[in-house]
Amino acid sequence: MHKENEGCSSSNRAVITGCGAYTPAKQLTNDDLAQMVDTSDEWITTRTGIKVRHVTTDGETTATLAAEAGRRALEYAGVAAEDLDLIVVATITPEMPFPSTACFVQDALGAKKAWVFDLAAACSGFVYALHVVQQFMENGRINKALVIGAETLTKIMNWKDRTSCILFGDGAGAVVLERKSDAGRGILYSTMGADGQYWEALNCQAHGSRYPAHRPLDDPNRIFMQIKGREVYQQAVRRIVDSVTSCLDHCGLTVDDVSMFISHQMNARIIESAAKRLKLPDEKVFVNIADYGNTSAASVPIAFDECVRTEKLKKGDILIFVAFGAGVTWGANVIEF
Ligand code: UT7
């Protein structure tokens, strides 16, 4: 088991005590997309591993998905919404520019005592949020938190652009974290990173301060997500491998100690090649991208929820959460379940 050291020892730990996920009922298959753009089930399956993605309809928003995932996580943990100290929603497709999506979730859940905010780190948002909450729990400032990754990426999708529209889906995943003293288990260590010079690899440019809504756009594509997939691909594997290696080293762990590698689901080939470089056997690598596509900040908690509910994890297992995304940003958490 893990060696206690500076980064991994703390009497206060942030322990995951519940999880939940929610995805919209409407689904879009690869064959459906082949009716819309010049693509095929064969291309999408072999290049990405995706078969189907869930898509919101008009009444469904980031906050409605987030609140439902949060409700399920609270129920699993047996924690009342009124007892939450903090809610963090990781998202790049917020309900609106302000107030935060987290305010809508707080209201929907009735979490009157909680202070709340959104965190925008794209696909790395959920692992970033865990790292933030971990600090507040280890220093004893909060006892119970709800961390949600929620996205409605299909709402900023250009359905005529085959390089982006086949990749993404909507959904939300959530965990309840509770501060436990001397529990041993919990979030052991996290490491995060970013490199803003690569912002053009993946972005949605309108309607912030650079391209405000009241000024006509020189390029109408700025309202959509735009992606240079190959550029993201090339950096993702290296960043994932480096983050996981550095986290494990810091905890005095090796890949042999890891029970489950739960990566951001961006592309099955990226996950497989990162896992191969880390020398992780297939049975320790969780991949569910076929059923959801890339759900950005929601993908790690949706995958974790599926692992828990299908009983793939047992108490004491060492888990790795890892993500890479727009910014570019990346991060990993080592967790004793
Ligand atoms: O979570 C972070 C966000 N996620 C990502 O950023 C995704 C990361 N990147 C990827 O997953 C992969 O790079 C993609 C799946 C996006 C693309 O796979 P690839 O193996 O890197 O393909 P490519 O971009 O090099 O394109 C190969 C060919 C091109 O045609 P030519 O130039 O070889 O004639 C593309 O035009 O595939 C073509 N292509 C398509 N063909 C059919 C691009 N998109 C499609 C499509 N259907 N949807």
Side-chain angles (χ1 to χ4, degrees):
M1 271 294 121
H2 63 90
K3 174 174 86 185
E4 293 290 335
N5 66 16
E6 194 195 342
C8 297
S9 64
S10 168
S11 56
N12 282 324
R13 281 261 163 82
V15 178
I16 297 178
T17 57
C19 57
Y22 181 75
T23 46
K26 186 180 171 196
Q27 297 189 11
L28 208 55
T29 65
N30 293 346
D31 288 333
D32 293 334
L33 283 161
Q35 309 286 317
M36 298 157 64
V37 287
D38 181 15
T39 192
S40 65
D41 175 47
E42 201 259 331
W43 192 95
I44 300 172
T45 305
T46 54
R47 296 283 178 144
T48 71
I50 301 165
K51 296 300 277 183
V52 70
R53 65 288 290 143
H54 296 249
V55 180
T56 40
T57 49
D58 278 351
E60 293 171 307
T61 65
T62 300
T64 64
L65 304 187
E68 187 51 37
R71 202 172 281 123
R72 291 176 185 194
L74 288 167
E75 189 182 315
Y76 188 108
V79 167
E82 309 84 69
D83 291 335
L84 288 171
D85 302 305
L86 171 63
I87 299 173
V88 186
V89 178
T91 187
I92 47 161
T93 45
E95 194 74 359
M96 49 184 78
F98 68 90
S100 69
T101 307
C103 283
F104 292 95
V105 172
Q106 186 222 29
D107 185 43
L109 296 177
K112 296 282 181 213
K113 196 175 80 170
W115 58 284
V116 308
F117 66 95
D118 286 3
L119 191 155
C123 304
S124 311
F126 182 77
V127 297
Y128 263 55
L130 288 186
H131 186 39
V132 171
V133 172
Q134 178 192 353
Q135 310 313 309
F136 286 115
M137 292 213 165
E138 289 186 356
N139 72 21
R141 292 298 297 270
I142 62 169
N143 293 320
K144 293 181 199 301
L146 181 63
V147 175
I148 305 172
E151 302 282 15
T152 51
L153 289 158
T154 67
K155 304 218 187 215
I156 54 166
M157 203 53 66
N158 180 354
W159 295 106
K160 293 184 175 144
D161 175 12
R162 68 175 183 173
T163 66
S164 59
C165 76
I166 56 118
L167 295 172
F168 298 94
D170 300 333
V175 295
V176 173
L177 291 156
E178 294 186 67
R179 178 166 70 87
K180 307 262 184 200
S181 299
D182 301 317
R185 67 201 183 91
I187 304 176
L188 303 184
Y189 189 67
S190 304
T191 178
M192 304 291 134
D195 192 345
Q197 71 179 303
Y198 297 110
W199 73 271
E200 281 181 291
L202 184 52
N203 57 61
C204 179
Q205 298 170 14
H207 286 115
S209 61
R210 191 176 293 192
Y211 301 104
H214 59 76
R215 199 191 303 150
L217 286 172
D218 54 335
D219 175 357
N221 288 318
R222 295 193 203 281
I223 61 166
F224 300 121
M225 169 192 284
Q226 297 186 76
I227 178 170
K228 294 178 182 153
R230 190 97 308 244
E231 251 183 68
V232 178
Y233 195 128
Q234 279 160 357
Q235 290 201 47
V237 176
R238 177 169 60 87
R239 293 299 188 188
I240 288 172
V241 171
D242 289 352
S243 318
V244 172
T245 308
S246 118
C247 256
L248 287 173
D249 282 353
H250 201 99
C251 293
L253 295 166
T254 72
V255 282
D256 294 337
D257 298 307
V258 174
S259 299
M260 197 60 81
F261 173 73
I262 303 176
S263 169
H264 167 45
Q265 308 284 309
M266 64 168 87
N267 183 319
R269 286 154 63 211
I270 293 176
I271 301 171
E272 279 155 22
S273 65
K276 202 169 156 200
R277 287 193 200 182
L278 288 163
K279 299 193 167 51
L280 279 160
D282 289 355
E283 64 275 14
K284 290 185 175 184
V285 180
F286 189 74
V287 184
N288 69 351
I289 193 170
D291 303 329
Y292 301 99
N294 179 343
T295 57
S296 185
S299 92
V300 169
I302 289 173
F304 173 66
D305 181 70
E306 193 173 324
C307 283
V308 170
R309 288 178 201 265
T310 54
E311 299 180 352
K312 289 188 171 50
L313 310 177
K314 57 182 189 315
K315 207 171 165 190
D317 277 353
I318 299 290
L319 316 179
I320 301 283
F321 290 172
V322 64
F324 179 87
V328 292
T329 56
W330 61 88
N333 322 106
V334 180
I335 293 158
E336 185 170 335
F337 184 59

